[in-house]
Amino acid sequence: MSQAFRQTACRPGMRRIVLGALCALALAPAAHAAEFASQPVRLVVGTAAGGAVDTYARVVAEALSREIGQTVLVENKSGANGNIAAQYVIQQPADGNTLWIGTQAMVEINPVAFKQMPWKAEDFVPIIKGVEAPLVLATHPSVPARSLQELIGWARAHPGTGYASFSPGTPSQFLGYQLSESNQLDMVHVPYRGSAPQVADMVGGHALVGFTQIQTSLPLIQDGKLNAIATTSAQRSRFLPDTPTLDELGMPELQTTVWFGVMAPARIPADTRERLEQALVAVHRDPVVIKRLEDTGYDVSGQTGEPFAQAVADSRQRWAGLVKATGFAPED
């Protein structure tokens, strides 16, 4: 500190001003932290209450509340494939108190599928990939195939066979397209509005083939009402250890998982983002949380930082090519 500054600062009137300014600067980060810690945190879910995404959000909310010592609320704002929830979050202050529970389809596919959207990929920064699970290529028992090659042969002999997806614009649609195109099959996309109606029609024999959510198809596979041909994970699923992966069977391009995770507005301050990430990492390492999430049929990922952001960017590019190839055009 210079002599001139000391003399000026020590004048009675200036002393209060200078000390006040220095105190304000010193307390600014702490005040910001206090603001984050003193307000309820909201996890905004783009699906209706009671579904798989909502269940994940509520498990995380309960544990995060304990971790940060504050109330954490779950708000459901369903509609438009999650775009309504995303738009709502980016309209709120980027202070870490309003976060979006994103899904693989919402975060990776929506930005490259919707021509008009109220948000852009750059509006969000990934914080943590919470849980993930593979899809299962399943068939009705009337299909005589018990392996991928047998299924390909059967489908080739039955042109026009429909493949069921649990929703348009999701991996279940695009993987079916890839399976058909890669093997010169003539399969037709049959979209449903949710996993439950998809597998219900497959069990009823109205749709014979489809990439299904493991959470909804597993009980039916175990009961012999559906047959599992392959999974889309990098390694075999702990739920279906005897079912090979598509990677093992020579189709690594069909490898994917569906995931849920926490996204924050890109404008969030770096220190707030860091605190959020630390708290959410602790939550996803909690043995009680892990067991609760695994009991729902998911594997806990916990991927954060640049690896998570890069994985999202790479997958988004992949789905962009498939969206274009299929001519998929969602209703904005």
Side-chain angles (χ1 to χ4, degrees), residues 112 173-174 177-178 181 318-329:
V112 297
Q173 172 186 353
F174 299 129
Y177 171 84
Q178 281 186 287
E181 289 293 302
R318 169 194 180 184
W319 299 122
L322 286 169
V323 167
K324 183 177 180 180
T326 60
F328 174 69

Side-chain angles (χ1 to χ4, degrees), residues 146-159:
R146 294 297 179 269
S147 70
L148 179 62
Q149 287 306 313
E150 289 178 355
L151 176 59
I152 291 171
W154 176 85
R156 189 169 288 133
H158 296 79

Side-chain angles (χ1 to χ4, degrees), residues 76-102:
N76 298 87
K77 294 186 180 296
S78 60
N81 285 30
N83 288 335
I84 290 176
Q87 180 183 17
Y88 174 79
V89 171
I90 62 172
Q91 290 173 340
Q92 309 307 306
D95 53 11
N97 292 300
T98 307
L99 307 170
W100 181 35
I101 301 297

Side-chain angles (χ1 to χ4, degrees), residues 7-64:
Q7 290 175 348
T8 302
C10 289
R11 292 175 187 169
M14 290 301 297
R15 186 180 303 160
R16 289 192 296 271
I17 296 173
V18 172
L19 290 176
L22 290 174
C23 289
L25 287 172
L27 293 175
H32 187 77
E35 178 186 0
F36 169 73
S38 63
Q39 297 184 25
V41 174
R42 294 180 294 167
L43 304 182
V44 181
V45 178
T47 62
V53 186
D54 179 72
T55 298
Y56 164 73
R58 293 181 188 279
V59 172
V60 170
E62 182 180 328
L64 183 59

